[in-house]
Structure formats: C-alpha cells, structure tokens
Amino acid sequence: MSIRPAQASDAEHLTRFINMAADDLPLHFWKRSVGPDGDPWAYGRERAARATGNFSYRNAWLAEADGHVAACLLGYPADEPGPIDPDTPPIFVPLLELEALAPGSWYLNVLATYAQHRGKGLGSLLLAKAEAVARAAGHQTISLIAEDSHQDALRLYRAKGFREIARRPLFKGDWQVDASEWILFVKPL
C-alpha cells in the first residue's frame, strides 16, 4: 500500500470518493447545480480537477493497493467561522454550524475506501497521513464531520483518538439518506 498526492487526472476517483463519503449529498448538489439536462458527474469531475477550491485534487491524497486506487483523503485548513449566508441551502447549514465549532483546525472532509478494499487498514493509514499533513501545516487540531449511520467510520475515529464535540440534525429535504445527525469530531495533535 502506498499514498500519493492526487492529480487532476484522478477526478473520476475523487468524485466517487467525495460522493461516497457523504451518502450522495454531493451528487444531490451537483444535480441541482447542472439542472435536468446537465451531467452531475461531469460537474463533480470538473470541480475535482480544478486547481483551486476545497474540493480540488490539490487537497487530496489517494491510497493505492496492488497498483489500484483504493481509498481517498481530502482535507484543508478550516475556514474561519463567520455568519452563515442567508442564501445557504438549508441542507448545508448544520455542516457549516459544526465546522464553525472547530476554528483553526485542519478539516478532514473526505475519508473513503472502495468497498473491495475495506478492512485492510487504509482508513488508519490515511488518518495518519491527515495528521502528518495537519501538523506540517502548523495546525494543533484536526476535525471531521461524520454521519451517525457510518458506524464503522465512527468506531475508527474514536479508536484513533477523535472526540465527539457536537451534533446537529441533518436537514434532508429531498435528499434520501438513512442518517439523522451530523457529528463533529476533533483530535488534538
């Protein structure tokens, strides 16, 4: 197993991992962004392949197993909290509220593994990478938000020293998801 920085050419994998980590919420957003005649996956790939923005490939690392992309880490310094724009779609408000509770942290936005590669230690490997990146960038904490329905991920985060800080109910609207709460975790480095 090895970890490498993502490249723009990895956009297809990145869109899959980004969407997987949040139970189709990104796809839900991409569909709304492109309208009924657009291609939401193409929109996601375009966002992942750009050199700027939080979901840029420049903020991602990929774990490979046997020469194949197997898992992804995507993270960046958390934005300084500010007022939530009143035009923010309600589905994103709980996430922004939680992010604001971990100012100055390095925010681990995506940690996802393809199903056939789960249970092989890639999540632990990428969490260690996230901590190394956060430390190297001068952050004293790392934060992440997970859904309450991702039990395997929650066990991993707790086992690796992440502490639950707060919860917010999900606003589902027409997004189909089994989860009911977002959970903010923080770990001092």
Side-chain angles (χ1 to χ4, degrees):
M1 293 185 279
S2 62
I3 298 176
R4 66 170 175 82
Q7 302 170 5
S9 60
D10 294 312
E12 177 68 31
H13 288 294
L14 294 174
T15 57
R16 298 288 172 194
F17 287 125
I18 290 165
N19 192 57
M20 183 188 317
D23 284 336
D24 293 331
L25 179 57
L27 181 61
H28 181 78
F29 171 74
W30 299 335
K31 284 178 181 177
R32 288 176 175 259
S33 297
V34 300
D37 297 326
D39 180 346
W41 288 106
Y43 181 77
R45 286 189 300 273
E46 178 184 309
R47 288 176 55 93
R50 63 189 176 165
T52 60
N54 289 340
F55 286 105
S56 166
Y57 70 91
R58 291 184 179 217
N59 293 327
W61 293 262
L62 297 174
E64 294 183 340
D66 301 321
H68 299 285
V69 172
C72 174
L73 155 69
L74 186 143
Y76 41 84
D79 292 332
E80 285 302 313
I84 297 174
D85 185 320
D87 293 329
T88 299
I91 205 163
F92 295 114
V93 170
L95 292 165
L96 294 173
E97 290 174 349
L98 289 171
E99 287 176 20
L101 298 176
S105 70
W106 193 84
Y107 181 58
L108 194 166
N109 191 295
V110 173
L111 183 68
T113 304
Y114 285 137
Q116 66 270 30
H117 296 285
R118 291 184 186 145
K120 299 177 182 175
L122 292 170
S124 294
L125 187 68
L126 286 171
L127 280 176
K129 176 67 175 180
E131 291 177 21
V133 169
R135 274 191 205 95
H139 294 274
Q140 296 180 1
T141 57
I142 187 167
S143 64
L144 62 89
I145 298 172
E147 294 171 39
D148 62 349
S149 59
H150 289 187
Q151 293 303 314
D152 290 340
L154 297 176
R155 276 190 291 279
L156 175 65
Y157 302 145
R158 289 179 176 119
K160 296 298 180 182
F162 284 83
R163 197 175 90 245
E164 181 178 326
I165 300 298
R167 291 176 179 240
R168 294 289 186 275
L170 273 82
F171 179 91
K172 296 181 183 184
D174 59 352
W175 171 41
Q176 301 299 312
V177 65
D178 291 333
S180 60
E181 288 185 305
W182 295 110
I183 306 170
L184 171 66
F185 288 91
V186 174
K187 179 180 180 179
L189 298 174

